């Protein structure tokens, strides 16, 4: 079975488990990072990738994007997972 199919099956099982929990009246769901803005425009993503490839320190990327550090770190994780950025000298901190 392909990984995408397995991930889709896992996602459906998780969705079902969450729905059952909510409708059972046992309590409310906790959504991780719900208090952060994890939406990005294509221009923001392009800017992040450019700064990442240039080796800028992650704090400089927070400043350039005018975003909270958690939001930028999650974007780095997301883009790395998708193969849009690669590991770099200095790791997440960069060289700058």
């Amino acid at each position: 079975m392909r990984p995408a199919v397995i991930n889709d099956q896992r996602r459906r099982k998780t969705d079902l488990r969450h729905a059952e929990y909510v409708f059972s009246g046992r309590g409310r769901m906790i959504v991780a990072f719900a208090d952060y803005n994890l939406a990005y425009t294509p221009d923001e993503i392009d800017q992040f990738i450019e700064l990442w490839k240039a080796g800028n320190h992650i704090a400089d990327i927070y400043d350039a994007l005018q975003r909270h550090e958690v939001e930028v770190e999650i974007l780095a994780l997301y883009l790395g997972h998708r193969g849009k950025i690669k590991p770099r000298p200095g790791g997440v901190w960069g060289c700058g």
Side-chain angles (χ1 to χ4, degrees):
M1 196 175 298
R2 295 180 315 161
V5 173
I6 293 169
N7 286 337
D8 191 48
Q9 290 172 346
R10 288 181 185 159
R11 191 174 4 259
R12 278 188 257 148
K13 286 180 182 178
T14 300
D15 289 346
L16 180 60
R17 188 172 57 250
H18 289 173
E20 288 171 348
Y21 181 85
V22 169
F23 290 118
S24 72
R26 291 186 291 172
R28 64 183 178 92
M29 295 290 299
I30 308 239
V31 178
F33 301 107
D35 48 344
Y36 293 100
N37 180 353
L38 302 178
Y40 289 88
T41 66
D43 288 344
E44 289 174 313
I45 298 217
D46 291 345
Q47 183 181 11
F48 174 90
I49 291 171
E50 180 181 316
L51 293 167
W52 179 268
K53 287 181 178 178
N56 285 275
H57 191 281
I58 193 74
D60 295 330
I61 299 175
Y62 309 151
D63 292 341
L65 295 177
Q66 298 179 2
R67 302 291 288 259
H68 190 277
E69 58 264 19
V70 169
E71 295 169 357
V72 175
E73 291 161 3
I74 291 173
L75 178 61
L77 180 66
Y78 172 81
L79 293 174
H81 184 71
R82 298 282 187 272
K84 302 291 183 183
I85 60 171
K86 304 285 184 225
R88 62 188 188 155
V92 70
W93 303 112
C95 302

